Amino acid sequence: MIAKLVSFALRQPFVIVVAALALMVWGAWSFQKLPIDAYPDLSPPHVELITQWPGHAPEEIERQITIPIEIELNGIRSWIRCAPFRATAFPLSP
């Protein structure tokens, strides 16, 4: 298979040159159409965790759910920081 391709390329150099030029033009056109992000987002990934437990006091939710989750998350090796935010109520509907 490769021997046939090489023999064709040696017999028809004009076709190979035209194909190579067509590929170069197509590559240049594709490169110009490539979207470029001028200001990439360099901030680390952000995760927001909302803990809810209907019918229970916020202190109980914090003690039994939120604090154990924070302790486990702080044990992750590549974790940068854990910044807890606590509120007694989150309005979910307008």
Side-chain angles (χ1 to χ4, degrees), residues 11-92:
R11 282 185 282 118
Q12 301 290 333
F14 181 73
V15 174
I16 301 303
V17 170
V18 169
L21 288 175
L23 281 174
M24 284 190 263
V25 169
W26 183 44
W29 178 79
S30 297
F31 184 73
Q32 289 178 349
K33 297 293 181 185
L34 191 67
I36 297 174
D37 193 5
Y39 300 102
D41 185 18
L42 300 177
S43 62
H46 177 80
V47 176
E48 183 174 324
L49 180 67
I50 298 173
T51 55
Q52 296 178 347
W53 195 4
H56 295 276
E59 295 83 15
E60 187 177 3
I61 296 172
E62 180 180 8
R63 184 172 23 88
Q64 293 186 9
I65 299 175
T66 307
I67 291 177
I69 290 174
E70 288 177 10
I71 292 170
E72 291 297 320
L73 289 177
N74 282 325
I76 298 175
R77 290 184 186 178
S78 61
W79 195 262
I80 295 175
R81 72 180 181 131
C82 181
F85 172 75
R86 294 179 180 90
T88 57
F90 287 103
L92 297 177

Side-chain angles (χ1 to χ4, degrees), residues 1-11 16:
M1 178 72 182
I2 294 198
K4 290 181 182 181
L5 183 64
V6 170
S7 66
F8 175 78
L10 291 174
R11 282 185 282 118
I16 301 303

